[in-house]
Amino acid sequence: MMKYIFCLLALLIQPAVSWYVYHQQDKRQAALKVPMVFYSGVYLAVQFYVFIKYCIRFPERYQIWAYLIQAVILIAFLGLEMALWGSNRHIQRIDKQEQDSIRGFKNLLQELELCRMEVTDRENQRCVDALLEKMRYADPVSSPGAKLVEDRIHDLIAELPGITEQEAFKRTCDEIAKQLEIRKIKNAKERG
């Protein structure tokens, strides 16, 4: 029975990996883990092939070599699975950072839209409309280096409703437009 231990292990790994990939998660996470199922299937096939082709034929006194060969195959499989798991975690972390940066930029856009509702002067509304138009077509994904610029934009937008003088309002809108350009440059620079 000990002779078949790695084959039994390969048979047990396949359903365990499949359960891990498809059990209670969204489609995006499951899609990232599909290669794990593929590699566990490859491991199963390789383990059985090596066992049937070579390891079963080893004499009893050399059986330790059969175990070592199968153990090396198992270790290689586990290393590959750990590498895939690590890359999936990295992809999920990057995706979360991207979603957070998009959410932050959309919040700025929403703040500006709310500010537009509070502004009563027609000329000031035109300035806000120009900013809204510029922001709607801007890339919503922000690089980490643009975070300070977005904070500055947030502060400037928060100042707008309290400004009543047209010239001061226009200067603040121009400063927001300038900060949007700086954000655009920083994003392009960090993405390379």
XYZ file of all heavy atoms in Angstrom, residues 58-130:
612
model
N 10.575 -0.580 -9.948
C 11.762 -0.595 -9.103
C 11.719 -1.828 -8.200
O 10.659 -2.151 -7.633
C 11.826 0.651 -8.224
C 12.334 1.877 -8.918
C 12.159 2.079 -10.271
C 13.015 2.850 -8.196
C 12.628 3.213 -10.891
C 13.485 3.987 -8.817
C 13.289 4.170 -10.170
N 12.838 -2.493 -8.032
C 12.879 -3.610 -7.074
C 12.641 -3.088 -5.653
O 12.838 -1.906 -5.377
C 14.294 -4.176 -7.215
C 14.887 -3.539 -8.421
C 14.089 -2.326 -8.748
N 12.272 -3.973 -4.783
C 11.914 -3.591 -3.408
C 13.051 -2.861 -2.694
O 12.813 -1.910 -1.965
C 11.508 -4.843 -2.620
C 10.815 -4.555 -1.323
C 9.487 -3.833 -1.516
O 8.742 -4.134 -2.467
O 9.206 -2.942 -0.703
N 14.274 -3.265 -2.903
C 15.386 -2.629 -2.190
C 15.693 -1.226 -2.720
O 16.334 -0.429 -2.048
C 16.631 -3.499 -2.236
C 17.191 -3.674 -3.608
C 18.441 -4.517 -3.539
N 19.072 -4.470 -4.853
C 19.747 -5.431 -5.373
N 19.929 -6.547 -4.693
N 20.278 -5.319 -6.563
N 15.218 -0.876 -3.939
C 15.412 0.467 -4.504
C 14.134 1.308 -4.441
O 14.033 2.347 -5.083
C 15.885 0.381 -5.966
C 17.248 -0.217 -6.126
C 17.424 -1.406 -6.821
C 18.359 0.393 -5.559
C 18.672 -1.963 -6.962
C 19.621 -0.155 -5.704
C 19.769 -1.339 -6.402
O 21.006 -1.880 -6.540
N 13.189 0.844 -3.688
C 11.894 1.536 -3.600
C 12.028 2.956 -3.047
O 11.245 3.824 -3.372
C 10.930 0.722 -2.727
C 9.487 1.037 -2.962
C 9.052 0.770 -4.387
O 9.431 -0.202 -5.009
N 8.261 1.668 -4.931
N 13.072 3.207 -2.273
C 13.299 4.553 -1.738
C 13.481 5.560 -2.878
O 13.055 6.711 -2.788
C 14.501 4.579 -0.749
C 14.605 5.939 -0.048
C 15.803 4.318 -1.480
C 13.574 6.138 0.970
N 14.081 5.109 -3.979
C 14.272 6.002 -5.141
C 12.936 6.354 -5.777
O 12.733 7.465 -6.245
C 15.222 5.374 -6.164
C 16.623 5.313 -5.645
C 17.287 4.210 -5.204
C 17.501 6.419 -5.463
N 18.538 4.545 -4.758
C 18.700 5.917 -4.919
C 17.412 7.780 -5.703
C 19.780 6.715 -4.613
C 18.498 8.583 -5.399
C 19.662 8.055 -4.862
N 12.036 5.409 -5.805
C 10.696 5.674 -6.339
C 9.997 6.727 -5.486
O 9.364 7.649 -6.016
C 9.870 4.390 -6.381
N 10.144 6.600 -4.160
C 9.543 7.589 -3.269
C 10.176 8.963 -3.460
O 9.484 9.985 -3.466
C 9.686 7.170 -1.800
C 8.894 5.929 -1.439
C 9.435 4.968 -0.610
C 7.603 5.728 -1.916
C 8.722 3.833 -0.256
C 6.882 4.605 -1.577
C 7.447 3.666 -0.752
O 6.732 2.553 -0.404
N 11.477 8.993 -3.622
C 12.170 10.271 -3.811
C 11.746 10.953 -5.116
O 11.518 12.173 -5.149
C 13.686 10.074 -3.781
C 14.290 9.799 -2.406
C 15.773 9.496 -2.523
C 14.071 10.984 -1.489
N 11.637 10.170 -6.183
C 11.213 10.734 -7.475
C 9.812 11.319 -7.358
O 9.549 12.445 -7.790
C 11.280 9.657 -8.592
C 12.736 9.302 -8.884
C 10.572 10.141 -9.854
C 12.898 8.072 -9.777
N 8.919 10.571 -6.735
C 7.547 11.046 -6.582
C 7.463 12.234 -5.632
O 6.659 13.144 -5.823
C 6.650 9.901 -6.111
C 6.508 8.825 -7.191
C 5.652 7.688 -6.721
O 4.440 7.809 -6.735
N 6.284 6.608 -6.279
N 8.309 12.252 -4.614
C 8.335 13.380 -3.687
C 8.821 14.646 -4.396
O 8.302 15.745 -4.159
C 9.213 13.061 -2.483
N 9.821 14.494 -5.265
C 10.314 15.644 -6.034
C 9.206 16.193 -6.930
O 9.022 17.408 -7.042
C 11.575 15.258 -6.850
C 11.903 16.317 -7.886
C 12.748 15.036 -5.920
N 8.451 15.314 -7.551
C 7.338 15.752 -8.399
C 6.302 16.504 -7.548
O 5.804 17.561 -7.940
C 6.694 14.552 -9.131
C 7.683 13.942 -10.126
C 5.420 14.980 -9.854
C 7.235 12.619 -10.712
N 5.990 15.985 -6.378
C 5.033 16.635 -5.473
C 5.549 18.007 -5.027
O 4.806 18.992 -5.036
C 4.751 15.754 -4.253
C 3.846 16.364 -3.185
C 2.454 16.623 -3.750
C 3.780 15.451 -1.969
N 6.815 18.074 -4.662
C 7.390 19.356 -4.221
C 7.373 20.377 -5.354
O 7.061 21.554 -5.133
C 8.809 19.139 -3.648
C 8.712 18.393 -2.323
C 9.544 20.460 -3.484
C 10.034 17.885 -1.795
N 7.687 19.939 -6.566
C 7.643 20.853 -7.721
C 6.217 21.359 -7.942
O 6.002 22.557 -8.197
C 8.157 20.151 -8.973
N 5.248 20.456 -7.835
C 3.849 20.860 -7.983
C 3.448 21.859 -6.905
O 2.830 22.886 -7.189
C 2.940 19.624 -7.937
C 1.514 19.946 -7.640
C 0.706 20.537 -8.593
C 0.971 19.689 -6.382
C -0.611 20.859 -8.312
C -0.340 19.999 -6.096
C -1.136 20.584 -7.066
N 3.798 21.579 -5.661
C 3.437 22.482 -4.566
C 4.112 23.843 -4.736
O 3.514 24.885 -4.452
C 3.796 21.867 -3.215
C 2.941 20.665 -2.794
C 3.480 20.065 -1.499
C 1.484 21.041 -2.663
N 5.351 23.850 -5.207
C 6.040 25.116 -5.469
C 5.337 25.924 -6.544
O 5.164 27.149 -6.415
N 4.916 25.246 -7.599
C 4.184 25.920 -8.677
C 2.845 26.453 -8.176
O 2.474 27.592 -8.481
C 3.964 24.954 -9.845
C 3.333 25.522 -11.090
C 4.193 26.629 -11.676
C 3.133 24.429 -12.115
N 2.149 25.669 -7.381
C 0.867 26.117 -6.836
C 1.061 27.321 -5.909
O 0.267 28.258 -5.930
C 0.171 24.977 -6.077
C -0.381 23.889 -6.968
C -1.553 24.321 -7.817
O -2.415 25.072 -7.338
O -1.618 23.880 -8.974
N 2.113 27.317 -5.108
C 2.387 28.452 -4.216
C 2.726 29.702 -5.033
O 2.311 30.816 -4.679
C 3.537 28.135 -3.263
C 3.179 27.184 -2.171
S 1.970 27.938 -1.075
C 0.814 26.636 -0.909
N 3.469 29.523 -6.124
C 3.782 30.667 -6.991
C 2.509 31.235 -7.613
O 2.329 32.459 -7.675
C 4.765 30.252 -8.077
N 1.613 30.365 -8.052
C 0.336 30.831 -8.605
C -0.494 31.527 -7.533
O -1.114 32.561 -7.801
C -0.452 29.654 -9.188
C 0.030 29.134 -10.528
C -0.693 27.844 -10.877
C -0.178 30.161 -11.612
N -0.514 30.991 -6.342
C -1.262 31.602 -5.248
C -0.704 32.991 -4.947
O -1.453 33.947 -4.777
C -1.201 30.701 -4.015
C -1.945 31.245 -2.850
C -3.293 31.224 -2.644
C -1.393 31.924 -1.725
N -3.615 31.836 -1.459
C -2.454 32.276 -0.872
C -0.103 32.256 -1.342
C -2.269 32.936 0.327
C 0.081 32.921 -0.143
C -0.991 33.260 0.668
N 0.625 33.102 -4.906
C 1.249 34.399 -4.656
C 0.953 35.407 -5.754
O 0.684 36.582 -5.476
N 0.990 34.969 -6.998
C 0.693 35.894 -8.096
C -0.776 36.315 -8.066
O -1.092 37.469 -8.360
C 1.049 35.273 -9.445
O 0.199 34.188 -9.745
N -1.662 35.420 -7.685
C -3.078 35.786 -7.559
C -3.282 36.823 -6.468
O -4.056 37.770 -6.633
C -3.935 34.552 -7.271
C -4.141 33.690 -8.487
O -3.919 34.115 -9.607
N -4.539 32.455 -8.269
N -2.590 36.665 -5.355
C -2.690 37.654 -4.276
C -2.174 39.016 -4.745
O -2.762 40.046 -4.428
C -1.880 37.188 -3.043
C -2.348 35.888 -2.438
C -3.530 36.038 -1.579
N -3.181 36.900 -0.451
C -4.060 37.333 0.404
N -5.308 36.983 0.291
N -3.706 38.121 1.394
N -1.095 39.005 -5.499
C -0.533 40.257 -6.026
C -1.525 40.917 -6.985
O -1.760 42.124 -6.902
C 0.798 39.974 -6.729
C 1.404 41.174 -7.360
N 1.967 42.198 -6.631
C 1.514 41.536 -8.667
C 2.405 43.131 -7.454
N 2.143 42.754 -8.692
N -2.116 40.144 -7.874
C -3.093 40.678 -8.831
C -4.295 41.257 -8.086
O -4.782 42.335 -8.428
C -3.527 39.583 -9.829
C -2.373 39.255 -10.775
C -4.760 40.017 -10.624
C -2.602 38.014 -11.617
N -4.777 40.570 -7.073
C -5.921 41.060 -6.306
C -5.576 42.352 -5.563
O -6.399 43.265 -5.488
C -6.391 39.996 -5.315
C -7.077 38.830 -5.981
C -7.350 37.691 -5.029
O -6.779 37.611 -3.942
N -8.225 36.781 -5.442
N -4.351 42.444 -5.033
C -3.941 43.657 -4.327
C -3.865 44.844 -5.296
O -4.365 45.929 -4.999
C -2.587 43.442 -3.644
C -2.232 44.566 -2.687
C -0.877 44.379 -2.030
N 0.162 44.821 -2.929
C 1.054 44.035 -3.540
N 1.054 42.748 -3.328
N 1.955 44.525 -4.353
N -3.296 44.631 -6.468
C -3.198 45.694 -7.473
C -4.590 46.106 -7.939
O -4.879 47.300 -8.092
C -2.336 45.237 -8.677
C -0.901 44.965 -8.237
C -2.387 46.233 -9.816
C -0.158 46.170 -7.715
N -5.467 45.132 -8.137
C -6.831 45.429 -8.570
C -7.566 46.250 -7.514
O -8.282 47.194 -7.841
C -7.579 44.120 -8.847
C -8.907 44.350 -9.531
O -8.961 45.182 -10.452
O -9.888 43.683 -9.146
N -7.369 45.922 -6.249
C -8.012 46.678 -5.170
C -7.482 48.108 -5.122
O -8.260 49.055 -4.957
C -7.794 45.991 -3.825
C -8.521 46.683 -2.683
C -8.235 46.004 -1.362
C -8.897 46.656 -0.186
N -8.993 48.082 -0.174
N -6.171 48.276 -5.282
C -5.596 49.624 -5.297
C -6.174 50.440 -6.452
O -6.491 51.620 -6.287
C -4.074 49.564 -5.441
C -3.357 49.108 -4.210
C -1.861 48.936 -4.446
O -1.390 48.908 -5.578
N -1.121 48.813 -3.364
N -6.320 49.804 -7.604
C -6.871 50.502 -8.767
C -8.323 50.898 -8.521
O -8.725 52.026 -8.829
C -6.760 49.612 -10.005
C -7.142 50.305 -11.276
C -6.883 49.434 -12.481
O -5.722 49.287 -12.860
O -7.881 48.898 -13.033
N -9.098 49.997 -7.954
C -10.497 50.303 -7.659
C -10.615 51.433 -6.636
O -11.468 52.307 -6.757
C -11.231 49.061 -7.157
C -11.392 47.971 -8.195
C -12.118 48.448 -9.435
O -13.086 49.189 -9.360
N -11.618 48.056 -10.595
N -9.731 51.431 -5.646
C -9.739 52.501 -4.647
C -9.392 53.849 -5.270
O -9.983 54.869 -4.935
C -8.769 52.194 -3.505
C -9.242 51.048 -2.629
O -10.431 50.672 -2.714
O -8.411 50.514 -1.857
N -8.420 53.848 -6.183
C -8.038 55.112 -6.817
C -9.156 55.621 -7.727
O -9.401 56.826 -7.785
C -6.728 54.957 -7.600
O -6.909 54.205 -8.771
N -9.846 54.717 -8.405
C -10.980 55.122 -9.245
C -12.088 55.702 -8.367
O -12.674 56.736 -8.690
C -11.501 53.929 -10.077
C -10.488 53.569 -11.164
C -12.856 54.235 -10.696
C -10.803 52.290 -11.907
N -12.348 55.045 -7.261
C -13.383 55.520 -6.341
C -13.031 56.915 -5.820
O -13.892 57.785 -5.723
C -13.533 54.536 -5.180
C -14.774 54.736 -4.353
C -14.961 53.654 -3.297
N -14.928 52.312 -3.843
C -13.962 51.414 -3.596
N -12.962 51.716 -2.814
N -14.008 50.213 -4.124
N -11.757 57.156 -5.520
C -11.330 58.465 -5.039
C -11.543 59.552 -6.076
O -12.028 60.647 -5.761
N -11.221 59.257 -7.321
C -11.399 60.255 -8.376
C -12.885 60.496 -8.640
O -13.310 61.626 -8.861
C -10.683 59.827 -9.660
C -10.677 60.890 -10.711
C -9.839 61.989 -10.592
C -11.521 60.818 -11.807
C -9.833 62.986 -11.556
C -11.519 61.800 -12.769
C -10.680 62.891 -12.646
N -13.676 59.440 -8.610
C -15.121 59.611 -8.811
C -15.742 60.427 -7.683
O -16.694 61.171 -7.910
C -15.800 58.257 -8.969
C -15.460 57.613 -10.295
C -16.349 56.456 -10.605
C -15.942 55.925 -11.965
N -17.012 55.324 -12.673
N -15.199 60.293 -6.480
C -15.676 61.123 -5.371
C -15.382 62.595 -5.629
O -16.203 63.459 -5.313
C -15.057 60.679 -4.049
C -15.659 59.389 -3.526
O -16.743 58.989 -3.925
N -14.935 58.727 -2.648
N -14.209 62.886 -6.192
C -13.887 64.273 -6.555
C -14.883 64.807 -7.579
O -15.363 65.947 -7.468
C -12.472 64.379 -7.131
C -11.313 64.243 -6.167
C -9.998 64.276 -6.919
C -11.350 65.336 -5.121
N -15.182 63.993 -8.550
C -16.146 64.385 -9.593
C -17.520 64.636 -8.975
O -18.184 65.634 -9.292
C -16.218 63.291 -10.656
C -16.999 63.571 -11.919
C -16.450 64.784 -12.654
C -16.975 62.360 -12.833
N -17.923 63.785 -8.073
C -19.214 63.947 -7.402
C -19.226 65.216 -6.541
O -20.226 65.943 -6.523
C -19.511 62.721 -6.547
C -20.880 62.732 -5.926
C -21.127 61.475 -5.103
O -20.195 60.835 -4.617
N -22.387 61.131 -4.961
N -18.125 65.495 -5.854
C -18.036 66.720 -5.055
C -18.190 67.957 -5.941
O -18.868 68.915 -5.563
C -16.691 66.790 -4.331
C -16.552 65.837 -3.183
C -15.142 65.847 -2.604
O -14.427 66.850 -2.784
O -14.766 64.845 -1.975
N -17.561 67.917 -7.100
C -17.657 69.055 -8.015
C -19.084 69.197 -8.550
O -19.595 70.310 -8.708
C -16.649 68.914 -9.163
C -16.410 70.152 -9.995
C -15.920 71.310 -9.140
C -15.398 69.864 -11.094
N -19.748 68.088 -8.821
C -21.141 68.151 -9.280
C -22.048 68.731 -8.189
O -22.950 69.520 -8.479
C -21.622 66.763 -9.696
C -21.023 66.299 -11.009
C -21.334 64.845 -11.335
O -21.781 64.093 -10.432
O -21.108 64.459 -12.489
N -21.806 68.338 -6.942
C -22.585 68.901 -5.836
C -22.284 70.389 -5.667
O -23.184 71.177 -5.375
C -22.287 68.154 -4.539
C -22.786 66.716 -4.466
C -22.263 66.026 -3.215
C -24.298 66.671 -4.516
N -21.035 70.751 -5.867
C -20.643 72.156 -5.777
C -21.380 72.966 -6.844
O -21.816 74.090 -6.595
C -19.130 72.279 -5.955
S -18.543 73.969 -6.021
N -21.523 72.387 -8.019
C -22.231 73.079 -9.107
C -23.662 73.399 -8.716
O -24.202 74.431 -9.087
C -22.232 72.241 -10.369
C -23.024 73.001 -11.438
C -22.844 72.637 -12.759
N -23.452 73.372 -13.811
C -24.568 74.054 -13.862
N -25.291 74.226 -12.788
N -25.000 74.612 -14.961
N -24.272 72.505 -7.958
C -25.652 72.722 -7.512
C -25.741 73.907 -6.543
O -26.756 74.585 -6.496
C -26.194 71.466 -6.830
C -26.145 70.224 -7.693
S -27.290 70.270 -9.047
C -28.720 69.662 -8.228
N -24.675 74.139 -5.785
C -24.680 75.207 -4.790
C -24.333 76.572 -5.391
O -24.668 77.597 -4.808
C -23.675 74.886 -3.676
C -24.051 73.674 -2.866
C -23.017 73.337 -1.812
O -22.268 74.243 -1.397
O -22.962 72.170 -1.414
N -23.679 76.578 -6.536
C -23.255 77.836 -7.164
C -24.449 78.435 -7.903
O -25.101 77.757 -8.709
C -22.072 77.591 -8.125
C -21.736 78.849 -8.899
C -20.876 77.083 -7.365
N -24.732 79.708 -7.653
C -25.889 80.359 -8.277
C -25.481 81.297 -9.421
O -26.259 81.488 -10.358
C -26.676 81.169 -7.223
O -25.788 82.083 -6.579
C -27.294 80.231 -6.199
N -24.295 81.847 -9.377
C -23.841 82.788 -10.407
C -23.586 82.032 -11.718
O -22.930 80.993 -11.738
C -22.559 83.484 -9.924
C -22.099 84.538 -10.906
O -22.829 85.530 -11.089
O -21.013 84.331 -11.497
N -24.125 82.564 -12.829
C -24.000 81.910 -14.144
C -22.540 81.774 -14.596
O -22.147 80.729 -15.115
C -24.769 82.708 -15.209
C -26.237 82.584 -15.080
C -26.669 81.379 -15.884
N -28.097 81.327 -15.879
C -28.764 80.215 -15.750
N -28.140 79.088 -15.624
N -30.067 80.229 -15.755
N -21.755 82.804 -14.396
C -20.351 82.763 -14.814
C -19.585 81.709 -14.009
O -18.778 80.966 -14.572
C -19.701 84.148 -14.641
C -18.339 84.272 -15.268
C -18.333 84.039 -16.779
O -19.281 84.438 -17.474
O -17.353 83.420 -17.256
N -19.864 81.642 -12.744
C -19.218 80.635 -11.891
C -19.662 79.223 -12.286
O -18.868 78.285 -12.274
C -19.524 80.895 -10.417
C -18.854 82.159 -9.905
O -18.011 82.755 -10.582
N -19.241 82.579 -8.704
N -20.925 79.075 -12.655
C -21.422 77.778 -13.106
C -20.706 77.328 -14.379
O -20.401 76.153 -14.542
C -22.938 77.829 -13.335
C -23.732 77.793 -12.063
C -25.245 77.841 -12.326
O -25.688 78.189 -13.416
N -26.012 77.513 -11.305
N -20.425 78.280 -15.275
C -19.698 77.944 -16.510
C -18.293 77.440 -16.185
O -17.802 76.511 -16.821
C -19.642 79.147 -17.446
C -20.903 79.303 -18.238
C -20.736 80.323 -19.381
N -21.999 81.031 -19.465
C -22.224 82.274 -19.104
N -21.239 83.038 -18.685
N -23.417 82.806 -19.197
N -17.645 78.067 -15.207
C -16.306 77.609 -14.784
C -16.373 76.188 -14.243
O -15.536 75.334 -14.575
C -15.730 78.543 -13.721
S -15.224 80.149 -14.306
N -17.374 75.922 -13.422
C -17.532 74.581 -12.853
C -17.865 73.580 -13.959
O -17.351 72.460 -13.971
C -18.604 74.574 -11.738
C -18.891 73.158 -11.263
C -18.170 75.441 -10.571
N -18.713 73.987 -14.916
C -19.058 73.102 -16.032
C -17.814 72.732 -16.852
O -17.664 71.576 -17.271
C -20.098 73.760 -16.944
C -21.482 73.792 -16.314
O -21.726 73.011 -15.373
O -22.322 74.614 -16.759
N -16.935 73.707 -17.059
C -15.696 73.437 -17.801
C -14.827 72.436 -17.039
O -14.236 71.520 -17.636
C -14.931 74.736 -18.046
